[in-house]
Amino acid sequence: NPNAGVCPPAAANTGVQCNTSTVNTQDNNYDYYQFRLDYAAATWLNAGMYGLYGLNKAATNSTPSDGYFFGITATGKVGIVSYDFDFIYGASNGSPTGAVINDSGSDFKDMKGYAIDGGFHFPLGPTTIHVVGSFSTGDKRDGGDSEAFPTISPSWNGAGGLYEIIGSGGAFDAIDNVQDAPTNLWMIGAGVEYRPVKALWTRFMYGFAGFHKNRGNCAVVTSPVTTCLGPSYATVATANGGTGTSTFGHEVSFRADYDFWTGFKIQGAMGL
């Protein structure tokens, strides 16, 4: 992904979410309380709900900031077709970093939004076909509170979590070199897994991504200038006279694993 990847010096004050050494988006500065409840109702429906509350005592303002998340999940299988679905709503004071103050300068700027991810999976002999999609809200940049989904610790791997180098990319991007926050992005994709022999496993995925709000791309400059909460994509911010683009582009991911013998495996991956 062509993500700017490096925060400007004032990023902590502007609210731009990007890859930095800050610990506000990890659990170091937060007291976290979580719950999860799952219920296997039937083969076609395994439902669940989960929640998280975090209190950030190292926020910028004079009082601690807090945030909460609530989600529901569902997985199941109908015939040979399986599916998965996840919806999560999040709200945070001062963004997940607790660093953004509202225009009056007296309180935090609230960040509230949601994200959806799901997919269908069709096994056909040694092949499995995947159809996936995701959606996450972005900031309107209208001067009020932010409508962007407040990503805590970036860990997104594209729609369905099936893209090897897009997002955090697992073992193939352990240093988080590419954008891995779903905020302000929608994505649709399809792909195939193929295991012709037991020792060889391959997966090819294609996806197309776009922005929920052009102005939700924090690299887009607004007039008047407004505080932005969310990721920054500098390379596509200057299109259309500086209003940004509505689509992000194509994503291609390929991975192959080969087991030479027990305990020895060769892995390779590529992403565009």
Side-chain angles (χ1 to χ4, degrees), residues 37 52 64 105 133 145 162 167 170 183-184 221 225 241-242 249:
L37 177 65
L52 180 150
D145 291 334
L162 299 179
T183 301
N184 193 44
V221 178
V225 176

PDB file of all heavy atoms in Angstrom, residues 37 52 64 105 133 145 162 167 170 183-184 221 225 241-242 249:
ATOM      1  N   LEU A  37     -18.418 -13.368  24.917  1.00  0.00           N
ATOM      2  CA  LEU A  37     -19.391 -14.441  25.123  1.00  0.00           C
ATOM      3  C   LEU A  37     -19.736 -15.049  23.778  1.00  0.00           C
ATOM      4  O   LEU A  37     -20.117 -14.328  22.844  1.00  0.00           O
ATOM      5  CB  LEU A  37     -20.665 -13.889  25.781  1.00  0.00           C
ATOM      6  CG  LEU A  37     -21.808 -14.887  25.995  1.00  0.00           C
ATOM      7  CD1 LEU A  37     -21.389 -15.965  26.988  1.00  0.00           C
ATOM      8  CD2 LEU A  37     -23.059 -14.163  26.477  1.00  0.00           C
ATOM      9  N   LEU A  52     -14.906  -4.049  25.123  1.00  0.00           N
ATOM     10  CA  LEU A  52     -13.636  -3.603  25.683  1.00  0.00           C
ATOM     11  C   LEU A  52     -13.795  -2.177  26.188  1.00  0.00           C
ATOM     12  O   LEU A  52     -14.397  -1.337  25.514  1.00  0.00           O
ATOM     13  CB  LEU A  52     -12.537  -3.678  24.620  1.00  0.00           C
ATOM     14  CG  LEU A  52     -11.121  -3.251  25.014  1.00  0.00           C
ATOM     15  CD1 LEU A  52     -10.107  -4.042  24.191  1.00  0.00           C
ATOM     16  CD2 LEU A  52     -10.895  -1.757  24.789  1.00  0.00           C
ATOM     17  N   PRO A  64      -7.880  12.022  32.472  1.00  0.00           N
ATOM     18  CA  PRO A  64      -7.704  10.811  31.660  1.00  0.00           C
ATOM     19  C   PRO A  64      -8.774  10.706  30.573  1.00  0.00           C
ATOM     20  O   PRO A  64      -9.904  11.160  30.742  1.00  0.00           O
ATOM     21  CB  PRO A  64      -7.861   9.680  32.685  1.00  0.00           C
ATOM     22  CG  PRO A  64      -7.584  10.309  34.016  1.00  0.00           C
ATOM     23  CD  PRO A  64      -8.084  11.717  33.898  1.00  0.00           C
ATOM     24  N   GLY A 105     -10.794  23.941  23.161  1.00  0.00           N
ATOM     25  CA  GLY A 105      -9.595  23.738  23.950  1.00  0.00           C
ATOM     26  C   GLY A 105      -9.857  23.304  25.370  1.00  0.00           C
ATOM     27  O   GLY A 105      -8.929  23.249  26.185  1.00  0.00           O
ATOM     28  N   GLY A 133     -15.222  -8.890   2.048  1.00  0.00           N
ATOM     29  CA  GLY A 133     -15.456  -7.462   1.993  1.00  0.00           C
ATOM     30  C   GLY A 133     -15.336  -6.835   3.364  1.00  0.00           C
ATOM     31  O   GLY A 133     -15.476  -7.525   4.394  1.00  0.00           O
ATOM     32  N   ASP A 145     -17.228  16.488  16.140  1.00  0.00           N
ATOM     33  CA  ASP A 145     -16.578  15.250  16.536  1.00  0.00           C
ATOM     34  C   ASP A 145     -16.285  14.404  15.305  1.00  0.00           C
ATOM     35  O   ASP A 145     -16.884  14.577  14.241  1.00  0.00           O
ATOM     36  CB  ASP A 145     -17.468  14.474  17.511  1.00  0.00           C
ATOM     37  CG  ASP A 145     -17.580  15.170  18.861  1.00  0.00           C
ATOM     38  OD1 ASP A 145     -16.644  15.915  19.209  1.00  0.00           O
ATOM     39  OD2 ASP A 145     -18.592  14.968  19.550  1.00  0.00           O
ATOM     40  N   LEU A 162      -7.118 -12.043   4.865  1.00  0.00           N
ATOM     41  CA  LEU A 162      -6.505 -13.065   4.020  1.00  0.00           C
ATOM     42  C   LEU A 162      -5.384 -12.541   3.130  1.00  0.00           C
ATOM     43  O   LEU A 162      -4.885 -13.283   2.281  1.00  0.00           O
ATOM     44  CB  LEU A 162      -7.584 -13.710   3.134  1.00  0.00           C
ATOM     45  CG  LEU A 162      -8.724 -14.416   3.878  1.00  0.00           C
ATOM     46  CD1 LEU A 162      -9.733 -14.977   2.887  1.00  0.00           C
ATOM     47  CD2 LEU A 162      -8.179 -15.531   4.763  1.00  0.00           C
ATOM     48  N   GLY A 167      -1.641  -4.628   5.065  1.00  0.00           N
ATOM     49  CA  GLY A 167      -1.840  -4.545   6.502  1.00  0.00           C
ATOM     50  C   GLY A 167      -0.647  -5.086   7.255  1.00  0.00           C
ATOM     51  O   GLY A 167       0.478  -5.046   6.776  1.00  0.00           O
ATOM     52  N   GLY A 170       1.222 -10.348   9.073  1.00  0.00           N
ATOM     53  CA  GLY A 170       1.758 -11.497   9.794  1.00  0.00           C
ATOM     54  C   GLY A 170       3.271 -11.565   9.710  1.00  0.00           C
ATOM     55  O   GLY A 170       3.973 -10.566   9.835  1.00  0.00           O
ATOM     56  N   THR A 183      -9.493   2.090   9.235  1.00  0.00           N
ATOM     57  CA  THR A 183     -10.266   3.324   9.341  1.00  0.00           C
ATOM     58  C   THR A 183     -10.385   4.055   7.994  1.00  0.00           C
ATOM     59  O   THR A 183      -9.396   4.261   7.311  1.00  0.00           O
ATOM     60  CB  THR A 183      -9.617   4.267  10.373  1.00  0.00           C
ATOM     61  OG1 THR A 183      -9.574   3.610  11.640  1.00  0.00           O
ATOM     62  CG2 THR A 183     -10.403   5.552  10.513  1.00  0.00           C
ATOM     63  N   ASN A 184     -11.623   4.421   7.634  1.00  0.00           N
ATOM     64  CA  ASN A 184     -11.951   5.187   6.434  1.00  0.00           C
ATOM     65  C   ASN A 184     -11.805   4.381   5.144  1.00  0.00           C
ATOM     66  O   ASN A 184     -11.849   4.946   4.054  1.00  0.00           O
ATOM     67  CB  ASN A 184     -11.097   6.458   6.334  1.00  0.00           C
ATOM     68  CG  ASN A 184     -11.630   7.429   5.283  1.00  0.00           C
ATOM     69  OD1 ASN A 184     -12.831   7.672   5.199  1.00  0.00           O
ATOM     70  ND2 ASN A 184     -10.745   7.985   4.490  1.00  0.00           N
ATOM     71  N   VAL A 221      -5.751  18.335   2.481  1.00  0.00           N
ATOM     72  CA  VAL A 221      -5.777  19.625   3.176  1.00  0.00           C
ATOM     73  C   VAL A 221      -7.134  20.274   2.955  1.00  0.00           C
ATOM     74  O   VAL A 221      -7.580  20.434   1.815  1.00  0.00           O
ATOM     75  CB  VAL A 221      -4.658  20.550   2.666  1.00  0.00           C
ATOM     76  CG1 VAL A 221      -4.731  21.905   3.351  1.00  0.00           C
ATOM     77  CG2 VAL A 221      -3.294  19.907   2.899  1.00  0.00           C
ATOM     78  N   VAL A 225      -8.665  24.756   7.594  1.00  0.00           N
ATOM     79  CA  VAL A 225      -7.977  23.565   8.080  1.00  0.00           C
ATOM     80  C   VAL A 225      -8.731  22.998   9.273  1.00  0.00           C
ATOM     81  O   VAL A 225      -9.109  23.731  10.197  1.00  0.00           O
ATOM     82  CB  VAL A 225      -6.526  23.902   8.474  1.00  0.00           C
ATOM     83  CG1 VAL A 225      -5.845  22.683   9.075  1.00  0.00           C
ATOM     84  CG2 VAL A 225      -5.757  24.401   7.262  1.00  0.00           C
ATOM     85  N   GLY A 241      -7.743  18.155  -7.905  1.00  0.00           N
ATOM     86  CA  GLY A 241      -7.586  19.517  -7.415  1.00  0.00           C
ATOM     87  C   GLY A 241      -7.348  19.612  -5.922  1.00  0.00           C
ATOM     88  O   GLY A 241      -7.612  20.651  -5.319  1.00  0.00           O
ATOM     89  N   GLY A 242      -6.844  18.533  -5.330  1.00  0.00           N
ATOM     90  CA  GLY A 242      -6.529  18.553  -3.909  1.00  0.00           C
ATOM     91  C   GLY A 242      -7.621  18.009  -3.010  1.00  0.00           C
ATOM     92  O   GLY A 242      -7.486  18.043  -1.785  1.00  0.00           O
ATOM     93  N   GLY A 249      -7.221   1.792  -4.809  1.00  0.00           N
ATOM     94  CA  GLY A 249      -6.480   1.054  -5.819  1.00  0.00           C
ATOM     95  C   GLY A 249      -6.601  -0.444  -5.666  1.00  0.00           C
ATOM     96  O   GLY A 249      -7.362  -0.962  -4.846  1.00  0.00           O
TER      97      GLY A 249
END
